[in-house]
Amino acid sequence: MGYRRKAREFALQMLYQFDVSNEFEYLINEFWSKKDVPDDVKEFADNIVEGVVKNLHSIDNMLIRSAANWSIDRMALVDRNIMRIAVYELLFIKNIPVKVTINEAIEIAKRFGGEESSAFINGILDKIIKDYK
């Protein structure tokens, strides 16, 4: 597993905790305290988490517009945070190909999400790409 995949998985865990607690500063400082991970993993994960939190309103609006009949609150916590990571990458990290971002989101959904998560996430992200290209 590449360092970016591992970083995305850590970012998912942190965003999940943020979604539940809404405690950003404590989360960032405390999350890494019990983990021994390479600096490149930590740096990429922190970049994602900080970027998602900073741009949460616009990312969520994009998800809402692209997910017909779904509010953010109705989406499973894991699914919405996987999509937040992917949308952040699509909008703000220009050196990652779109196909890589989508594939990573689907693979992480298969590991951490529910039975239908990967198909749901693929559909929403595909719509976002078509609508905002």
Side-chain angles (χ1 to χ4, degrees):
M1 175 184 319
Y3 85 91
R4 285 189 170 181
R5 166 78 60 86
K6 194 66 188 160
R8 287 179 182 99
E9 290 178 355
F10 282 132
L12 174 61
Q13 293 169 26
M14 286 190 282
L15 288 169
Y16 185 97
Q17 288 179 5
F18 174 74
D19 232 357
V20 172
S21 70
N22 217 12
E23 296 281 336
F24 181 69
E25 292 301 322
Y26 175 78
L27 167 68
I28 288 290
N29 295 327
E30 187 64 25
F31 185 82
W32 298 113
S33 68
K34 296 179 179 78
K35 291 177 178 47
D36 183 27
V37 297
D39 288 340
D40 55 352
V41 171
K42 182 180 178 203
E43 183 179 317
F44 190 62
D46 284 347
N47 177 38
I48 291 170
V49 172
E50 290 168 7
V52 168
V53 171
K54 178 180 175 186
N55 298 286
L56 191 61
H57 183 71
S58 59
I59 291 170
D60 283 357
N61 281 338
M62 190 173 283
L63 289 173
I64 291 166
R65 285 192 303 267
S66 299
N69 303 317
W70 283 88
S71 68
I72 287 294
D73 294 337
R74 278 191 60 212
M75 295 176 190
L77 242 66
V78 170
D79 294 355
R80 75 174 166 233
N81 283 301
I82 291 171
M83 289 187 289
R84 286 170 172 164
I85 292 167
V87 170
Y88 175 74
E89 284 186 23
L90 291 169
L91 295 177
F92 299 101
I93 304 178
K94 302 300 181 194
N95 66 342
I96 301 174
V98 170
K99 288 182 180 186
V100 171
T101 295
I102 302 299
N103 185 56
E104 287 292 297
I106 291 167
E107 292 303 313
I108 291 170
K110 287 177 182 176
R111 181 163 180 211
F112 291 97
E115 199 171 299
E116 311 264 333
S117 292
S118 59
F120 176 69
I121 288 168
N122 187 38
I124 301 297
L125 294 178
D126 187 51
K127 179 147 179 42
I128 287 171
I129 291 165
K130 287 177 183 170
D131 288 348
Y132 298 97
K133 218 167 188 186

